[in-house]
Amino acid sequence: MALSGNETLPPPQHIAIIMDGNGRWAKQRGLPRTAGHAAGAESFRRIANYCRSLGVRYLTVYAFSTENWKRSQEEIAGIMRLLRRYLEEALQDMEKNRVRFRFFGDLSRLSPALQKLCLDAQNRSSEYDVQVNFCLNYGGRDEIVQAARQFALQVAAGERKPEDLTEDLFEHYLYSAGIPDPELVIRPSGEKRVSNFLLWQSAYSEYVFMNVLWPDFTPEHLDEAIAEYHRRNRRFGGT
Ligand code: FPP
């Protein structure tokens, strides 16, 4: 396994990324926002491959939030097209790449064609080890509400009692059920906000905010984020 950020320490097993700054990247070049998202999708491919080479087990990316529906029809359609294209390719190259796919979010609002691609990708990749979690029509608050609703329905049906609920049990109702929490959450683009991303799961994560737009994010930036994570870990780890 390659080591990164620090020559002796392994990388975090779960890294989560808010892929922010595509719009500004496009604007700086006088291009439509969709071109920024296309460059962002390329950046994702590059970073996903690099994470795999480092031995990172889980990569979770914020691809479309519950709030992103407020954007123009054209921009939404552009992002959905990129996701469709990516998943079609991933399905074709499944045996070569051996990546497991999971989707966090309420997929019911996506087009039937995209929903089917998500389900196919999830079902056909279930035995692979390295995992990419796509957050699609995802919101952290929405995730917690849908989890609470599922539990309430089970209580109403007599299958559970209110006092059964613990943090461990609650996690079973989240999209991330069975997946370890991310140790590191990265937000490029200079914004220093959580933006409704993995609210439950990032309770103890290290956040690294970086001044680079997502389409310009390189493996060296990831090394830098991991090095920062290790510095923080080493500072607090001894107590
Ligand atoms: C945030 O940047 C980015 C998004 C809302 C969309 C992210 C989507 C992709 C990177 C493409 C998805 C496809 C694949 C295959 C991963 P922003 O548009 O808010 O940037 P800005 O803050 O500069 O306007």
Side-chain angles (χ1 to χ4, degrees):
M1 185 204 299
L3 294 172
S4 168
N6 179 300
E7 291 196 352
T8 53
L9 296 169
Q13 67 168 337
H14 185 173
I15 296 178
I17 305 181
I18 300 177
M19 303 186 290
D20 194 17
N22 299 342
R24 275 163 284 170
W25 184 92
K27 193 169 178 200
Q28 283 173 1
R29 289 162 177 75
L31 295 169
R33 292 181 62 82
T34 325
H37 296 311
E42 281 313 307
S43 194
F44 163 75
R45 284 184 170 87
R46 194 164 61 233
I47 294 303
N49 282 335
Y50 187 57
C51 279
R52 196 237 286 273
S53 75
L54 293 179
V56 173
R57 299 253 344 258
Y58 301 89
L59 173 66
T60 301
V61 289
Y62 211 175
F64 197 85
S65 75
T66 45
E67 289 74 34
N68 287 153
W69 295 107
K70 294 180 203 144
R71 299 190 176 204
S72 74
Q73 281 306 314
E74 190 193 343
E75 183 172 351
I76 294 171
I79 295 174
M80 297 300 163
R81 204 165 38 241
L82 287 165
L83 286 163
R84 238 179 10 246
R85 196 179 306 153
Y86 176 81
L87 291 173
E88 279 164 2
E89 282 170 21
L91 278 162
Q92 268 175 18
D93 296 340
M94 196 113 258
E95 269 116 63
K96 191 175 90 202
N97 293 334
R98 307 182 65 79
V99 171
R100 186 166 63 208
F101 290 100
R102 276 267 291 265
F103 297 87
F104 296 180
D106 176 6
L107 302 189
S108 68
R109 202 169 158 190
L110 307 179
S111 73
L114 186 52
Q115 285 183 51
K116 182 167 184 320
L117 282 170
C118 292
L119 284 183
D120 284 353
Q122 186 155 306
N123 292 338
R124 284 187 41 202
S125 65
S126 58
E127 79 270 27
Y128 300 137
D129 284 337
V130 176
Q131 181 162 324
V132 170
N133 305 310
F134 275 108
C135 297
L136 273 185
N137 190 22
Y138 173 86
R141 288 183 174 181
D142 186 62
E143 176 180 35
I144 292 168
V145 167
Q146 72 79 31
R149 194 178 295 133
Q150 279 186 62
F151 179 73
L153 282 170
Q154 291 189 339
V155 171
E159 295 161 13
R160 293 263 186 210
K161 297 202 237 13
E163 56 271 29
D164 291 343
L165 194 59
T166 59
E167 290 185 12
D168 282 348
L169 180 63
F170 194 68
E171 279 172 3
H172 288 85
Y173 300 94
L174 298 173
Y175 296 124
S176 57
I179 300 171
D181 290 340
E183 297 99 311
L184 170 62
V185 180
I186 303 171
R187 182 168 194 157
S189 96
E191 306 291 350
K192 295 187 176 65
R193 283 189 297 277
V194 174
S195 294
N196 208 8
F197 187 48
L198 303 180
L199 294 183
W200 178 281
Q201 298 85 345
S202 67
Y204 295 100
S205 304
E206 292 295 335
Y207 257 87
V208 174
F209 298 100
M210 302 180 83
N211 264 327
V212 53
L213 302 176
W214 174 247
D216 291 329
F217 196 96
T218 61
E220 288 71 32
H221 291 108
L222 190 73
D223 284 345
E224 219 179 282
I226 293 174
E228 170 64 17
Y229 162 78
H230 284 313
R231 276 195 295 275
R232 293 187 199 170
N233 236 17
R234 270 195 288 170
R235 202 156 53 231
F236 299 118
T239 55

